[in-house]
Amino acid sequence: MLPSISEELEKFRAGLERRNPGESEFHQAVMEVAGSIIPFIQDKPVYTKHRILERMTEPDRIIIFRVCWEDDQGRVRVNRGYRIQQNNAIGPYKGGLRFHPTVNLSVLKFLAFEQVFKNSLTGLPMGGGKGGSDFNPKDKSDHEVMRFCQSFMTELYHHIGPDTDVPAGDIGVGQREIGYMFGQHKRMTNEFTGVLTGKGLEYGGSLIRTEATGYGAVYFIEDMLAEQGEQIDGRRVAISGAGNVAQYAAEKAIQLGGKVVTLSDSSGFVYCPDGMEQEQLDWVVDLKNNRRGRIKEAADEFGWEFHEGQRPWSVPVDLALPCATQNELDAEDAKLLVKNGCIAVSEGANMPTTQAGIDYFQATRTLYAPSKAANAGGVAVSGLEMSQNIAKMSWEEAHLDERLRKIMQRIHDHCKEYGSNNNGHIDYLKGANIAGFTKVANAMLAYGVI
Ligand code: NDP
Ligand code: 2IT
């Protein structure tokens, strides 16, 4: 007799935990995918015989290195650098770099694993990777950030290249950090190539890349709502975070007539019950990107409420876009959101909802767009930046936004195709996992046992 799905899943979990002890974020991301894929492949022995899912959980390679630099007082500082090259079955490794004190192997392995499925969903030829460091750019001067980035790239450059591995930004890595790293790579190789994405427009960057992740997450929620005959116009929207993804999710939500009532950072959230104006959002963008201030200053400036140490999921909203970090929305938050009338969630951040939170959204049939689908717009426009670099051309803004819009719509439709249940409910998580898996798995089968 064939083992049951739950027996298969438990056996798979035991192997995963034995091979990767203590890596809770990595276990969480893999088991969330396995929950869709193990039932899907049960009657497709080609995938089980070739151990495709097991092979996908094992990174192609992990590079760990020391990063030494000198602070403004002349003291020697030591950080750890990482690059996880997870899977290049369908294209060069591609994925961001995160600089944050919470960075460790488990966090980067979960991000690299997710990236493989996300990049596959974009329809572009990109494999998956992720990297970063436990360096904290927040309390450092520009010169310290520059010295760190130069030291980091002095080691990383051995392992990357436009046809090998193309890093980009993530938490703590924006255009400033990309500029310093690209400059160092160019200096060391004497080559000007598209080895990083998210570059400044003057040196090979793409229009719409800065906006792409946030815009894409809103386009996805627009498509989920349209499927139900609904729209964003007039809806109340809670957004967490105040960084790159949150800023442009807020901008697009406002453009489509939504009322953005919250933003947050790691110190708490601001509540603006009537919805913020674009000019107020511009002020927040300047605060965060140029003055590098705290979100409370926006509450002081505009007379909004500030809720110290809290997350924004307790206020009544129709739509929620978690855009800060992993596991920032748990089952209690999910219950509160649904109780207060929330009908749709689109994840701008990577894995922001805990498994129990996801289960609650699924059980209540709340429209739920998982990060690997909802935030794929960022890496998709990174893929378009790579194409422009290879062609030595720059495409126009309207063309790029249209490409992004179409890519998000196609991801939505793929998720619907693989995630539609008999009861009429669309399980976007199952759809995203299966659609993302299939392309990578079939490429791996073509290569044989490697
Ligand atoms: P930024 O560094 O620009 O902004 C991060 C925001 O999240 C800040 O407001 C930060 O607050 C908050 N935050 C970070 N860590 C925590 C924490 N532990 N607790 C509470 N708040 C926190 O990063 P991005 O906007 O680029 O990234 C946000 C999310 O989106 C991440 O999950 C990232 O992986 C994901 N993502 C990013 C893409 C991109 O293109 N940039 C693409 C796809 C996904 P504070 O300043 O106080 O730390
Ligand atoms: O999580 C992500 O998709 C990113 N941080 C963007 C990756 C990229 O290569 O643009």
Side-chain angles (χ1 to χ4, degrees), residues 94-96 115 118 130 166 168-170 197 209 350 375 378-379 382:
K94 179 85 197 86
Q115 198 80 43
K118 183 193 310 191
K130 199 85 187 189
V166 183
D170 193 79
T197 60
R209 175 62 190 88
N350 283 308
N375 73 33
V379 75
S382 276

Side-chain angles (χ1 to χ4, degrees), residues 48-103:
T48 38
K49 179 170 163 238
H50 289 89
R51 308 284 298 268
I52 295 293
L53 186 59
E54 287 83 350
R55 281 157 62 185
M56 285 170 80
T57 66
E58 206 57 52
D60 289 354
R61 68 190 62 76
I62 297 178
I63 299 137
I64 301 184
F65 50 95
R66 185 179 66 235
V67 187
C68 282
W69 55 283
E70 276 182 51
D71 67 19
D72 288 344
Q73 283 71 45
R75 285 180 306 211
V76 175
R77 308 285 287 258
V78 187
N79 286 97
R80 188 171 296 172
Y82 304 83
R83 187 72 183 165
I84 319 277
Q85 296 183 333
Q86 185 74 22
N87 187 303
N88 67 353
I90 62 167
Y93 305 108
K94 179 85 197 86
L97 297 170
R98 177 176 292 190
F99 292 170
H100 196 272
T102 56
V103 161

Side-chain angles (χ1 to χ4, degrees), residues 413-435:
D413 294 350
H414 264 113
C415 293
K416 182 181 160 195
E417 183 186 336
Y418 287 98
S420 290
N421 288 334
N422 296 335
N423 60 13
H425 176 64
I426 303 175
D427 182 342
Y428 286 96
L429 177 63
K430 179 172 103 180
N433 284 338
I434 295 176

Side-chain angles (χ1 to χ4, degrees), residues 1-229:
M1 210 175 72
L2 279 176
S4 72
I5 299 277
S6 57
E7 282 167 348
E8 284 280 330
L9 271 168
E10 279 323 302
K11 202 172 122 206
F12 182 82
R13 181 196 298 276
L16 177 77
E17 292 183 358
R18 182 174 42 73
R19 291 194 306 278
N20 306 280
E23 296 179 352
S24 59
E25 292 87 357
F26 182 56
H27 301 161
Q28 182 185 340
V30 172
M31 289 312 298
E32 178 251 272
V33 166
S36 311
I37 301 302
I38 289 184
F40 173 71
I41 61 179
Q42 235 205 359
D43 60 353
K44 300 174 186 65
V46 66
Y47 297 125
T48 38
K49 179 170 163 238
H50 289 89
R51 308 284 298 268
I52 295 293
L53 186 59
E54 287 83 350
R55 281 157 62 185
M56 285 170 80
T57 66
E58 206 57 52
D60 289 354
R61 68 190 62 76
I62 297 178
I63 299 137
I64 301 184
F65 50 95
R66 185 179 66 235
V67 187
C68 282
W69 55 283
E70 276 182 51
D71 67 19
D72 288 344
Q73 283 71 45
R75 285 180 306 211
V76 175
R77 308 285 287 258
V78 187
N79 286 97
R80 188 171 296 172
Y82 304 83
R83 187 72 183 165
I84 319 277
Q85 296 183 333
Q86 185 74 22
N87 187 303
N88 67 353
I90 62 167
Y93 305 108
K94 179 85 197 86
L97 297 170
R98 177 176 292 190
F99 292 170
H100 196 272
T102 56
V103 161
N104 60 35
L105 203 50
S106 173
V107 168
L108 294 181
K109 281 173 72 176
F110 112 65
L111 288 163
F113 180 76
E114 287 272 297
Q115 198 80 43
V116 174
F117 293 80
K118 183 193 310 191
N119 294 3
S120 167
L121 282 170
T122 66
L124 301 173
M126 299 182 289
K130 199 85 187 189
S133 175
D134 57 358
F135 174 74
N136 182 6
K138 270 217 297 266
D139 55 4
K140 306 294 186 303
S141 70
D142 278 351
H143 278 94
E144 289 175 327
V145 171
M146 181 184 75
R147 286 193 292 274
F148 174 82
C149 288
Q150 290 176 342
S151 182
F152 183 85
M153 183 51 82
T154 301
E155 185 62 34
L156 185 68
Y157 102 103
H158 292 293
H159 310 286
I160 61 175
D163 295 320
T164 306
D165 184 351
V166 183
D170 193 79
I171 292 177
V173 178
Q175 236 178 63
R176 175 182 61 168
E177 290 75 16
I178 293 287
Y180 291 144
M181 288 191 277
F182 184 75
Q184 182 71 354
H185 188 274
K186 182 172 69 59
R187 174 191 188 188
M188 296 184 74
T189 56
N190 197 22
E191 277 177 11
F192 193 109
T193 58
V195 70
L196 293 171
T197 60
K199 301 185 290 297
L201 293 177
E202 304 81 1
Y203 50 96
S206 173
L207 288 162
I208 297 292
R209 175 62 190 88
T210 309
E211 295 86 348
T213 311
Y215 278 18
V218 175
Y219 290 151
F220 202 98
I221 217 167
E222 195 182 20
D223 288 338
M224 288 200 299
L225 290 175
E227 193 66 35
Q228 310 298 323

